[in-house]
Short mmCIF file of all heavy atoms in Angstrom, two decimals:
data_model
loop_
_atom_site.label_atom_id
_atom_site.label_comp_id
_atom_site.label_asym_id
_atom_site.label_seq_id
_atom_site.Cartn_x
_atom_site.Cartn_y
_atom_site.Cartn_z
N ARG A 27 16.39 -10.76 2.66
CA ARG A 27 15.19 -9.93 2.92
C ARG A 27 15.07 -8.85 1.94
O ARG A 27 16.03 -7.97 1.86
CB ARG A 27 15.17 -9.37 4.36
CG ARG A 27 13.84 -8.69 4.65
CD ARG A 27 13.78 -8.12 6.09
NE ARG A 27 14.47 -6.90 6.17
CZ ARG A 27 14.24 -5.97 7.16
NH1 ARG A 27 13.34 -6.19 8.05
NH2 ARG A 27 14.92 -4.83 7.18
N LEU A 28 14.09 -8.81 1.14
CA LEU A 28 13.87 -7.73 0.18
C LEU A 28 13.01 -6.64 0.81
O LEU A 28 12.14 -6.88 1.61
CB LEU A 28 13.10 -8.27 -1.06
CG LEU A 28 13.74 -9.51 -1.74
CD1 LEU A 28 12.94 -9.89 -2.98
CD2 LEU A 28 15.23 -9.35 -2.06
N SER A 29 13.37 -5.45 0.41
CA SER A 29 12.54 -4.30 0.85
C SER A 29 12.08 -3.51 -0.34
O SER A 29 12.71 -3.49 -1.40
CB SER A 29 13.39 -3.36 1.72
OG SER A 29 13.85 -4.09 2.90
N CYS A 30 10.97 -2.84 -0.13
CA CYS A 30 10.36 -1.97 -1.21
C CYS A 30 9.91 -0.72 -0.46
O CYS A 30 8.95 -0.72 0.25
CB CYS A 30 9.25 -2.70 -1.91
SG CYS A 30 8.32 -1.68 -3.09
N ALA A 31 10.53 0.35 -0.80
CA ALA A 31 10.12 1.71 -0.30
C ALA A 31 9.16 2.38 -1.19
O ALA A 31 9.47 2.60 -2.35
CB ALA A 31 11.41 2.56 -0.05
N ALA A 32 7.99 2.69 -0.69
CA ALA A 32 6.98 3.30 -1.47
C ALA A 32 6.82 4.72 -1.16
O ALA A 32 6.98 5.23 -0.04
CB ALA A 32 5.63 2.55 -1.20
N SER A 33 6.47 5.50 -2.22
CA SER A 33 6.14 6.96 -2.02
C SER A 33 5.23 7.34 -3.13
O SER A 33 5.04 6.70 -4.12
CB SER A 33 7.53 7.76 -1.99
OG SER A 33 8.18 7.58 -3.29
N GLY A 34 4.67 8.55 -2.93
CA GLY A 34 3.79 9.12 -3.95
C GLY A 34 2.32 8.71 -3.85
O GLY A 34 1.54 9.09 -4.73
N PHE A 35 2.03 7.92 -2.90
CA PHE A 35 0.65 7.54 -2.69
C PHE A 35 0.41 7.10 -1.28
O PHE A 35 1.41 7.00 -0.51
CB PHE A 35 0.23 6.37 -3.62
CG PHE A 35 1.00 5.08 -3.39
CD1 PHE A 35 0.34 4.05 -2.75
CD2 PHE A 35 2.28 4.90 -3.85
CE1 PHE A 35 1.05 2.81 -2.51
CE2 PHE A 35 2.93 3.64 -3.61
CZ PHE A 35 2.31 2.68 -2.94
N THR A 36 -0.80 6.90 -0.86
CA THR A 36 -1.10 6.47 0.48
C THR A 36 -0.85 4.96 0.61
O THR A 36 -1.78 4.23 0.22
CB THR A 36 -2.51 6.90 0.88
OG1 THR A 36 -2.69 8.32 0.75
CG2 THR A 36 -2.80 6.49 2.34
N PHE A 37 0.30 4.60 1.08
CA PHE A 37 0.68 3.18 1.06
C PHE A 37 -0.30 2.34 1.80
O PHE A 37 -0.57 1.18 1.26
CB PHE A 37 2.03 3.17 1.69
CG PHE A 37 2.63 1.75 1.78
CD1 PHE A 37 3.06 1.11 0.66
CD2 PHE A 37 2.83 1.15 3.02
CE1 PHE A 37 3.64 -0.15 0.71
CE2 PHE A 37 3.41 -0.11 3.08
CZ PHE A 37 3.82 -0.80 1.90
N SER A 38 -0.79 2.78 2.88
CA SER A 38 -1.74 1.97 3.72
C SER A 38 -3.06 1.72 3.07
O SER A 38 -3.85 0.89 3.56
CB SER A 38 -1.90 2.60 5.11
OG SER A 38 -2.45 3.88 4.98
N ASP A 39 -3.38 2.38 1.98
CA ASP A 39 -4.63 2.20 1.26
C ASP A 39 -4.61 0.97 0.36
O ASP A 39 -5.69 0.58 -0.18
CB ASP A 39 -5.01 3.40 0.47
CG ASP A 39 -5.62 4.55 1.35
OD1 ASP A 39 -5.85 4.31 2.54
OD2 ASP A 39 -5.76 5.60 0.79
N TYR A 40 -3.45 0.43 0.07
CA TYR A 40 -3.28 -0.54 -0.97
C TYR A 40 -2.76 -1.88 -0.50
O TYR A 40 -1.81 -1.93 0.30
CB TYR A 40 -2.37 -0.04 -2.07
CG TYR A 40 -2.96 1.11 -2.89
CD1 TYR A 40 -2.86 2.43 -2.42
CD2 TYR A 40 -3.71 0.80 -4.08
CE1 TYR A 40 -3.46 3.41 -3.20
CE2 TYR A 40 -4.24 1.84 -4.78
CZ TYR A 40 -4.13 3.19 -4.33
OH TYR A 40 -4.69 4.18 -5.06
N ALA A 41 -3.37 -2.99 -0.97
CA ALA A 41 -2.71 -4.24 -0.91
C ALA A 41 -1.43 -4.22 -1.83
O ALA A 41 -1.38 -3.43 -2.74
CB ALA A 41 -3.62 -5.36 -1.38
N MET A 42 -0.43 -4.96 -1.39
CA MET A 42 0.86 -4.99 -2.14
C MET A 42 1.20 -6.42 -2.47
O MET A 42 0.81 -7.36 -1.76
CB MET A 42 1.98 -4.34 -1.37
CG MET A 42 1.75 -2.87 -1.04
SD MET A 42 1.82 -1.79 -2.53
CE MET A 42 3.55 -1.94 -2.92
N SER A 43 2.00 -6.57 -3.46
CA SER A 43 2.46 -7.90 -3.91
C SER A 43 3.95 -7.96 -4.23
O SER A 43 4.48 -6.90 -4.58
CB SER A 43 1.67 -8.39 -5.13
OG SER A 43 0.30 -8.57 -4.88
N TRP A 44 4.46 -9.13 -4.20
CA TRP A 44 5.75 -9.41 -4.80
C TRP A 44 5.50 -10.35 -6.01
O TRP A 44 4.76 -11.30 -5.93
CB TRP A 44 6.69 -10.17 -3.88
CG TRP A 44 7.19 -9.21 -2.73
CD1 TRP A 44 6.65 -9.08 -1.51
CD2 TRP A 44 8.33 -8.34 -2.80
NE1 TRP A 44 7.37 -8.19 -0.76
CE2 TRP A 44 8.36 -7.67 -1.58
CE3 TRP A 44 9.21 -8.00 -3.84
CZ2 TRP A 44 9.38 -6.71 -1.28
CZ3 TRP A 44 10.16 -7.06 -3.55
CH2 TRP A 44 10.29 -6.42 -2.34
N VAL A 45 6.08 -10.01 -7.14
CA VAL A 45 6.02 -10.77 -8.35
C VAL A 45 7.42 -11.10 -8.81
O VAL A 45 8.30 -10.22 -8.76
CB VAL A 45 5.19 -10.08 -9.38
CG1 VAL A 45 5.13 -10.82 -10.70
CG2 VAL A 45 3.77 -9.77 -8.85
N ARG A 46 7.73 -12.22 -9.39
CA ARG A 46 9.05 -12.48 -9.88
C ARG A 46 8.98 -12.97 -11.31
O ARG A 46 8.02 -13.43 -11.81
CB ARG A 46 9.72 -13.54 -8.95
CG ARG A 46 9.09 -14.92 -9.06
CD ARG A 46 9.76 -15.83 -7.98
NE ARG A 46 9.13 -17.17 -7.98
CZ ARG A 46 9.43 -18.13 -7.05
NH1 ARG A 46 10.22 -17.87 -6.08
NH2 ARG A 46 8.82 -19.30 -7.16
N GLN A 47 10.19 -12.79 -11.89
CA GLN A 47 10.39 -13.24 -13.28
C GLN A 47 11.70 -14.00 -13.36
O GLN A 47 12.79 -13.41 -13.24
CB GLN A 47 10.33 -12.16 -14.24
CG GLN A 47 10.38 -12.59 -15.70
CD GLN A 47 10.00 -11.48 -16.67
OE1 GLN A 47 10.32 -10.33 -16.48
NE2 GLN A 47 9.35 -11.87 -17.81
N ALA A 48 11.63 -15.32 -13.54
CA ALA A 48 12.80 -16.17 -13.71
C ALA A 48 13.41 -16.02 -15.07
O ALA A 48 12.63 -15.64 -16.02
CB ALA A 48 12.48 -17.58 -13.32
N PRO A 49 14.65 -16.33 -15.22
CA PRO A 49 15.24 -16.23 -16.61
C PRO A 49 14.41 -16.96 -17.62
O PRO A 49 14.17 -18.18 -17.45
CB PRO A 49 16.66 -16.76 -16.42
CG PRO A 49 16.98 -16.58 -14.99
CD PRO A 49 15.63 -16.77 -14.28
N GLY A 50 14.03 -16.36 -18.68
CA GLY A 50 13.33 -17.02 -19.76
C GLY A 50 11.90 -17.33 -19.40
O GLY A 50 11.18 -18.00 -20.25
N LYS A 51 11.44 -16.87 -18.31
CA LYS A 51 10.03 -17.19 -17.91
C LYS A 51 9.15 -15.93 -17.84
O LYS A 51 9.65 -14.83 -17.90
CB LYS A 51 10.04 -17.92 -16.56
CG LYS A 51 10.87 -19.16 -16.49
CD LYS A 51 10.31 -20.22 -17.35
CE LYS A 51 11.13 -21.51 -17.20
NZ LYS A 51 10.57 -22.61 -18.08
N GLY A 52 7.88 -16.15 -17.73
CA GLY A 52 7.00 -15.06 -17.56
C GLY A 52 6.87 -14.67 -16.08
O GLY A 52 7.50 -15.13 -15.18
N LEU A 53 6.05 -13.63 -15.90
CA LEU A 53 5.84 -13.08 -14.52
C LEU A 53 5.08 -14.15 -13.72
O LEU A 53 4.08 -14.72 -14.17
CB LEU A 53 5.04 -11.83 -14.58
CG LEU A 53 5.79 -10.58 -15.22
CD1 LEU A 53 4.76 -9.48 -15.47
CD2 LEU A 53 6.93 -10.14 -14.39
N GLU A 54 5.54 -14.30 -12.52
CA GLU A 54 4.92 -15.26 -11.60
C GLU A 54 4.59 -14.50 -10.27
O GLU A 54 5.45 -13.95 -9.62
CB GLU A 54 5.80 -16.43 -11.26
CG GLU A 54 5.20 -17.42 -10.29
CD GLU A 54 6.23 -18.48 -9.86
OE1 GLU A 54 7.42 -18.19 -9.82
OE2 GLU A 54 5.71 -19.62 -9.48
N TRP A 55 3.33 -14.49 -9.95
CA TRP A 55 2.92 -13.95 -8.64
C TRP A 55 3.50 -14.76 -7.54
O TRP A 55 3.43 -16.04 -7.58
CB TRP A 55 1.37 -13.96 -8.59
CG TRP A 55 0.93 -13.62 -7.19
CD1 TRP A 55 0.73 -12.38 -6.60
CD2 TRP A 55 0.53 -14.60 -6.17
NE1 TRP A 55 0.33 -12.50 -5.27
CE2 TRP A 55 0.24 -13.84 -4.99
CE3 TRP A 55 0.53 -15.97 -6.14
CZ2 TRP A 55 -0.25 -14.43 -3.81
CZ3 TRP A 55 0.08 -16.60 -4.97
CH2 TRP A 55 -0.27 -15.79 -3.86
N VAL A 56 3.98 -14.11 -6.51
CA VAL A 56 4.66 -14.80 -5.40
C VAL A 56 3.90 -14.62 -4.05
O VAL A 56 3.62 -15.59 -3.41
CB VAL A 56 6.11 -14.22 -5.20
CG1 VAL A 56 6.73 -14.90 -3.98
CG2 VAL A 56 6.92 -14.50 -6.40
N SER A 57 3.52 -13.43 -3.79
CA SER A 57 2.86 -13.10 -2.51
C SER A 57 2.10 -11.85 -2.52
O SER A 57 2.49 -10.90 -3.21
CB SER A 57 3.95 -13.08 -1.40
OG SER A 57 3.38 -12.97 -0.11
N SER A 58 1.05 -11.79 -1.70
CA SER A 58 0.32 -10.51 -1.52
C SER A 58 -0.01 -10.33 -0.04
O SER A 58 -0.05 -11.29 0.73
CB SER A 58 -0.98 -10.58 -2.28
OG SER A 58 -0.80 -10.60 -3.63
N ILE A 59 -0.18 -9.09 0.36
CA ILE A 59 -0.54 -8.71 1.66
C ILE A 59 -1.63 -7.70 1.63
O ILE A 59 -1.61 -6.74 0.86
CB ILE A 59 0.75 -8.22 2.37
CG1 ILE A 59 0.42 -8.02 3.92
CG2 ILE A 59 1.32 -6.99 1.75
CD1 ILE A 59 1.71 -7.80 4.73
N ARG A 60 -2.55 -7.85 2.54
CA ARG A 60 -3.71 -6.89 2.63
C ARG A 60 -3.15 -5.59 3.15
O ARG A 60 -2.14 -5.45 3.73
CB ARG A 60 -4.78 -7.45 3.54
CG ARG A 60 -6.15 -6.86 3.37
CD ARG A 60 -7.20 -7.61 4.11
NE ARG A 60 -7.08 -7.52 5.54
CZ ARG A 60 -7.84 -8.21 6.41
NH1 ARG A 60 -8.76 -9.07 5.94
NH2 ARG A 60 -7.61 -8.08 7.72
N ARG A 61 -3.95 -4.54 2.88
CA ARG A 61 -3.52 -3.22 3.19
C ARG A 61 -3.19 -3.02 4.65
O ARG A 61 -2.22 -2.24 5.00
CB ARG A 61 -4.57 -2.16 2.85
CG ARG A 61 -5.87 -2.26 3.59
CD ARG A 61 -6.95 -1.30 3.04
NE ARG A 61 -7.41 -1.73 1.74
CZ ARG A 61 -8.36 -1.08 1.05
NH1 ARG A 61 -8.74 0.06 1.52
NH2 ARG A 61 -8.71 -1.54 -0.13
N ASP A 62 -3.90 -3.71 5.61
CA ASP A 62 -3.59 -3.64 7.03
C ASP A 62 -2.76 -4.76 7.56
O ASP A 62 -2.52 -4.90 8.73
CB ASP A 62 -4.88 -3.56 7.83
CG ASP A 62 -5.68 -4.83 7.71
OD1 ASP A 62 -5.33 -5.71 6.87
OD2 ASP A 62 -6.73 -5.00 8.41
N ALA A 63 -2.18 -5.56 6.61
CA ALA A 63 -1.38 -6.69 6.89
C ALA A 63 -2.14 -7.87 7.60
O ALA A 63 -1.48 -8.78 8.10
CB ALA A 63 -0.14 -6.33 7.73
N GLY A 64 -3.44 -7.74 7.64
CA GLY A 64 -4.22 -8.71 8.35
C GLY A 64 -4.43 -10.03 7.55
O GLY A 64 -4.98 -10.97 8.23
N ALA A 65 -4.02 -10.09 6.38
CA ALA A 65 -4.14 -11.35 5.52
C ALA A 65 -2.93 -11.39 4.55
O ALA A 65 -2.50 -10.32 4.07
CB ALA A 65 -5.45 -11.41 4.79
N LYS A 66 -2.53 -12.63 4.33
CA LYS A 66 -1.37 -12.79 3.43
C LYS A 66 -1.63 -14.00 2.58
O LYS A 66 -2.32 -14.91 2.96
CB LYS A 66 -0.05 -12.93 4.19
CG LYS A 66 0.31 -11.78 5.15
CD LYS A 66 1.41 -12.17 6.02
CE LYS A 66 1.71 -11.07 6.99
NZ LYS A 66 2.83 -11.41 7.90
N SER A 67 -0.98 -14.06 1.46
CA SER A 67 -1.08 -15.19 0.55
C SER A 67 0.22 -15.39 -0.19
O SER A 67 0.99 -14.48 -0.34
CB SER A 67 -2.23 -15.08 -0.41
OG SER A 67 -2.03 -13.95 -1.25
N TYR A 68 0.49 -16.72 -0.51
CA TYR A 68 1.79 -17.12 -1.15
C TYR A 68 1.53 -18.06 -2.24
O TYR A 68 0.63 -18.91 -2.15
CB TYR A 68 2.71 -17.70 -0.07
CG TYR A 68 3.02 -16.83 1.09
CD1 TYR A 68 2.17 -16.94 2.26
CD2 TYR A 68 4.06 -15.95 1.08
CE1 TYR A 68 2.46 -16.10 3.38
CE2 TYR A 68 4.31 -15.18 2.15
CZ TYR A 68 3.53 -15.24 3.34
OH TYR A 68 3.79 -14.51 4.41
N VAL A 69 2.38 -18.06 -3.17
CA VAL A 69 2.45 -19.12 -4.14
C VAL A 69 2.85 -20.37 -3.40
O VAL A 69 3.64 -20.33 -2.49
CB VAL A 69 3.39 -18.81 -5.28
CG1 VAL A 69 4.89 -18.69 -4.84
CG2 VAL A 69 3.33 -19.77 -6.48
N ASP A 70 2.35 -21.54 -3.92
CA ASP A 70 2.58 -22.81 -3.15
C ASP A 70 4.04 -23.06 -2.93
O ASP A 70 4.37 -23.54 -1.83
CB ASP A 70 1.96 -23.99 -3.92
CG ASP A 70 0.47 -23.99 -3.83
OD1 ASP A 70 -0.15 -23.34 -2.91
OD2 ASP A 70 -0.18 -24.73 -4.56
N SER A 71 4.87 -22.77 -3.93
CA SER A 71 6.29 -23.13 -3.77
C SER A 71 6.97 -22.28 -2.73
O SER A 71 8.13 -22.62 -2.29
CB SER A 71 6.98 -22.91 -5.17
OG SER A 71 6.88 -21.57 -5.55
N ALA A 72 6.38 -21.22 -2.29
CA ALA A 72 6.98 -20.30 -1.28
C ALA A 72 6.42 -20.51 0.04
O ALA A 72 7.05 -19.99 1.04
CB ALA A 72 6.85 -18.89 -1.70
N LYS A 73 5.36 -21.26 0.20
CA LYS A 73 4.77 -21.39 1.50
C LYS A 73 5.70 -22.07 2.54
O LYS A 73 6.30 -23.10 2.16
CB LYS A 73 3.43 -22.22 1.39
CG LYS A 73 2.37 -21.43 0.71
CD LYS A 73 1.07 -22.26 0.54
CE LYS A 73 0.03 -21.46 -0.20
NZ LYS A 73 -1.25 -22.26 -0.47
#
């Protein structure tokens, strides 16, 4: 379980994402969540 502690802005105003970078690869979007957590999305390989 990964955690990300946010500060310096109104966290609840923003959608957030997880993005990963495998060795030797570019950035790959993994998942996003709406500001109120009411909607989520995932890369196919993570679903």
Side-chain angles (χ1 to χ4, degrees):
R27 189 178 77 158
L28 308 183
S29 298
C30 174
S33 61
F35 66 101
T36 303
F37 182 69
S38 60
D39 283 351
Y40 290 87
M42 298 291 295
S43 294
W44 289 97
V45 179
R46 67 187 178 189
Q47 187 167 33
K51 304 295 184 180
L53 293 169
E54 179 187 28
W55 169 83
V56 176
S57 184
S58 294
I59 186 168
R60 200 167 71 186
R61 64 185 73 182
D62 64 352
K66 306 171 183 180
S67 59
Y68 302 92
V69 65
D70 285 346
S71 63
K73 290 178 180 177

